[in-house]
Amino acid sequence: MKRTLEVCAVALFFTAAALFAQSDEWRRLMERGQALERDANYSQAASAYLDAVRIARDRRLMIALNSLGLAYEEMGRFPDGER
């Protein structure tokens, strides 16, 4: 029984570490996209947002998709932005 609890605790630790790392990467990509957007570099901002969409989970996916759509609209790619 003790061994099972130890294995579960280790698994929980590694799972939490992986989720935390994903969270930091998503945040880094979103901040990069926002900085590029402020500099009017919309194509690279869209690229950063698209990478954020690929790793996003739950409500972060909606935030990343919205940012990607706005970047597409700024580039005049209205059908992509609406999608």
Side-chain angles (χ1 to χ4, degrees):
M1 179 71 172
K2 183 178 178 186
R3 179 74 175 154
T4 304
L5 290 174
E6 290 172 350
V7 170
C8 289
V10 170
L12 181 62
F13 173 76
F14 284 117
T15 302
L19 290 174
F20 184 72
Q22 183 261 335
S23 171
D24 286 346
E25 179 67 10
W26 180 85
R27 180 166 291 145
R28 185 189 67 77
L29 288 167
M30 291 298 293
E31 288 173 355
R32 182 172 186 266
Q34 291 167 354
L36 289 165
E37 207 169 359
R38 279 191 299 271
D39 294 338
N41 192 343
Y42 299 111
S43 63
Q44 287 188 0
S47 177
Y49 292 140
L50 189 56
D51 290 341
V53 165
R54 289 184 180 126
I55 65 169
R57 302 279 186 266
D58 301 325
R59 77 176 177 89
R60 289 183 171 191
L61 178 60
M62 295 298 115
I63 295 168
L65 283 172
N66 185 57
S67 296
L68 178 61
L70 292 173
Y72 280 154
E73 286 184 16
E74 288 293 331
M75 291 187 301
R77 294 174 55 182
F78 298 108
D80 292 331
E82 291 174 358
R83 188 171 30 100

